[in-house]
Amino acid sequence: MNSDEQYERGLEALRQAAGGAGQRLLDTLADVSPELSYRSVAWSYGDLYVRPQLARRDRELLTLGILTGLGGADAQLEVHVNGALNAGLTPGEIVEALLQSVVYCGVPRAVNATLVAKKVFAERNMLPVPTTAAG
């Protein structure tokens, strides 16, 4: 497969995953580093994201945890919160995953990730998120 085919496959996977959120991130990079945009789509989505060994839902859940742990990845978190919703995760499941990250990533990173999720939920008219009692 040539790099253009890899890019097109990645672009389609990104559209399916994140809808417009992914394209907004690519557009933001377009006038400063189109090569970074191209490579991240071709490699991340064209090669890795489409592998069948993990379901898209699982891949998104894992990515949320990783990005939360990294910190400072708000733009990518926004893309992947959208992707998680599009893969079938509920807002409650996303919030629970981010709550779990408190133990391993710390309060500031969990709070920041949750605020990114809240922004996405608001844009998609999914607020308030139903809560369950602590148990």
Side-chain angles (χ1 to χ4, degrees):
M1 171 184 335
N2 69 40
S3 59
D4 287 335
E5 291 170 336
Q6 182 184 20
Y7 176 79
E8 288 304 320
R9 183 172 70 181
L11 197 55
E12 181 57 30
L14 179 60
R15 284 183 190 127
Q16 288 176 9
Q23 189 61 53
R24 283 193 301 275
L25 182 56
L26 296 179
D27 292 345
T28 301
L29 291 171
D31 63 348
V32 65
S33 185
E35 188 65 19
L36 175 59
S37 175
Y38 181 90
R39 298 290 174 192
S40 63
V41 169
W43 186 63
S44 299
Y45 286 89
D47 274 348
L48 296 176
Y49 193 82
V50 296
R51 291 173 54 87
Q53 289 81 355
L54 282 177
R56 199 170 91 189
R57 182 184 200 282
D58 298 337
R59 206 170 285 279
E60 289 294 354
L61 190 59
L62 179 62
T63 302
L64 291 178
I66 292 167
L67 292 173
T68 299
L70 284 172
D74 290 3
Q76 294 81 10
L77 263 169
E78 184 176 340
V79 168
H80 287 285
V81 169
N82 274 292
L85 291 166
N86 293 342
L89 286 156
T90 66
E93 290 170 322
I94 292 169
V95 168
E96 189 64 26
L98 298 176
L99 179 60
Q100 177 73 22
S101 73
V102 165
V103 176
Y104 301 99
C105 304
V107 171
R109 289 189 175 165
V111 168
N112 291 343
T114 302
L115 292 175
V116 171
K118 178 181 178 178
K119 177 184 177 213
V120 172
F121 299 156
E123 290 170 353
R124 293 177 70 153
N125 296 313
M126 297 177 143
L127 289 176
V129 175
T131 59
T132 59

